C-alpha cells in the first residue's frame, strides 16, 4: 500500500530540515519504506480537505490505505511498530525505546519550542529580554539532564531506535542557538544521527523541495 505524507510546499526554514516531515521521512528511510509526498501550502493546510486529516491544520500527516494519522510521535511509532529496524525485539527494551519517543516530545521539545517562540515570534516584545534567561535556563536544565543520562554512550538505550530518531530531531532545532555546543556529548549524539545514511536521504529529499532558488 502506498504511503503518502504531507509536507510544506515551501518550508519556512528554507530547507534546513527542521520542518517535522523530516523526522517522518527519516523513519521511513530507516525502515526502507518508499513514500510519496503531497506538498501543501499554508492556506491549504487550513482548508476542510486537510483539516479532515489533521484537525489542527498542520503537517506532517501520514496516509496508508484507510489509515490517516497526524502527530509525528504517533506516525513514527506506527512506522516503528510495523517495520523492523526502529524498535528492539526484547519487550522491555522496546518499551524503553518508546519511552524515549515520549520523552523527546513531551519533556525535551516543549522548552525548545518555547525558546523558538521567544526568539522568532516574541523577539520584539518589551518583556522578551527579561524572560529570555528563564527560557534559556529551562532548556539548559533539560539538556544537562539528558547529557548526564547519555554519558559517553552512542545512543540513549543500546542500539539506535525510534527514541533516538525523535530525540535527535528535537535537538536539531537548537543547532542555530549554539546551546548544543555547551554539551559536547549531545552535539556528538546529534552529529551521529545526522551521519546516518537514512537521515541524509530524508534531509536531501526535503531540501530538494525547499532549496532557495540559486542566485
Ligand atoms: N505536535 C505536532 C506539531 C506539528 C507542527 O507544529 N507542524 C508545523 C510544521 S513543523 C506546522 O504545520 N506549522 C504550521 C501551522 O501550525 O500552521 C507534531 O509533532 O506533528
Amino acid at each position: 500500500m502506498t504511503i503518502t505524507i504531507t509536507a510544506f510546499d515551501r518550508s519556512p526554514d528554507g530547507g534546513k530540515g527542521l520542518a517535522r516531515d523530516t523526522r517522518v521521512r527519516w523513519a521511513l528511510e530507516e525502515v526502507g519504506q518508499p513514500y510519496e509526498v503531497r506538498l501543501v501550502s499554508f492556506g491549504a493546510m487550513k482548508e476542510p480537505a486537510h483539516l479532515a486529516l489533521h484537525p489542527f491544520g498542520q503537517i506532517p500527516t501520514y496516509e496508508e490505505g484507510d489509515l490517516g494519522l497526524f502527530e509525528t510521535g504517533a506516525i513514527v511509532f506506527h512506522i516503528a511498530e510495523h517495520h523492523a529496524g526502529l524498535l528492539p525485539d526484547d519487550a522491555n527494551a522496546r518499551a524503553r525505546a518508546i519511552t524515549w519517543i515520549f520523552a523527546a516530545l513531551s519533556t525535551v521539545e516543549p522548552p525548545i519550542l518555547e525558546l523558538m517562540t521567544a526568539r522568532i515570534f516574541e523577539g520584539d516584545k518589551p518583556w522578551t529580554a527579561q524572560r529570555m534567561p528563564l527560557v534559556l535556563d529551562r532548556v539548559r536544565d533539560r539538556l544537562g539532564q539528558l547529557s548526564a543520562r547519555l554519558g559517553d554512550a552512542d545512543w540513549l538505550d543500546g542500539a539506535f531506535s525510534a527514541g533516538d530518531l525523535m530525540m535527535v530531531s528535537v535537538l536539531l532545532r537548537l543547532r542555530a542557538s549554539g546551546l548544543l555546543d555547551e554539551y559536547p556529548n549531545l552535539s556528538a549524539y546529534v552529529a551521529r544521527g545526522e551521519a546516518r545514511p537514512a537521515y541524509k536521504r530524508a534531509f536531501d529529499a526535503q531540501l530538494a523541495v525547499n532549496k532557495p532558488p540559486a542566485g
Side-chain angles (χ1 to χ4, degrees):
M1 232 170 313
T2 307
I3 294 172
T4 304
I5 67 167
T6 50
F8 285 129
D9 63 351
R10 203 142 153 226
S11 175
D13 77 356
K16 292 194 181 73
L18 301 180
R20 289 173 177 82
D21 56 287
T22 304
R23 48 183 85 164
V24 174
R25 293 174 187 268
W26 185 7
L28 289 165
E29 292 288 353
E30 287 284 351
V31 301
Q33 281 297 303
Y35 62 97
E36 293 182 356
V37 184
R38 192 167 64 250
L39 300 175
V40 287
S41 65
F42 269 92
M45 281 160 54
K46 311 301 174 195
E47 294 292 331
H50 189 75
L51 288 171
L53 200 51
H54 196 310
F56 307 112
Q58 297 179 315
I59 61 99
T61 57
Y62 175 102
E63 291 160 271
E64 188 178 11
D66 291 343
L67 178 67
L69 295 176
F70 60 97
E71 286 296 335
T72 52
I75 297 170
V76 168
F77 179 51
H78 176 82
I79 294 167
E81 277 275 276
H82 288 85
H83 306 280
L86 280 173
L87 287 175
D89 291 334
D90 173 76
N92 285 355
R94 198 175 179 90
R96 289 195 303 272
I98 293 164
T99 300
W100 281 114
I101 302 179
F102 281 85
L105 293 172
S106 53
T107 302
V108 179
E109 191 169 49
I112 294 175
L113 293 180
E114 197 186 0
L115 176 63
M116 307 290 111
T117 303
R119 289 229 161 115
I120 299 166
F121 302 112
E122 298 170 356
D124 58 347
K125 303 284 187 244
W127 31 262
T128 291
Q130 250 187 315
R131 193 167 102 86
M132 194 57 89
L134 303 174
V135 174
L136 287 168
D137 278 355
R138 282 196 280 269
V139 175
R140 286 195 176 100
D141 277 353
R142 286 294 178 248
L143 295 184
Q145 292 162 326
L146 186 64
S147 168
R149 170 51 79 102
L150 180 66
D152 57 9
D154 278 355
W155 306 113
L156 286 165
D157 192 335
F160 176 82
S161 78
D164 294 298
L165 183 152
M166 198 58 88
M167 192 64 82
V168 168
S169 299
V170 162
L171 294 177
L172 270 167
R173 294 185 155 246
L174 282 177
R175 158 97 19 92
S177 72
L179 280 172
L180 266 185
D181 302 332
E182 296 175 18
Y183 306 86
N185 67 337
L186 293 185
S187 273
Y189 171 65
V190 169
R192 268 192 295 282
E194 289 177 293
R196 293 180 71 83
Y199 176 83
K200 289 185 179 162
R201 289 194 296 274
F203 182 90
D204 289 347
Q206 66 75 37
L207 184 61
V209 176
N210 294 307
K211 193 157 49 179

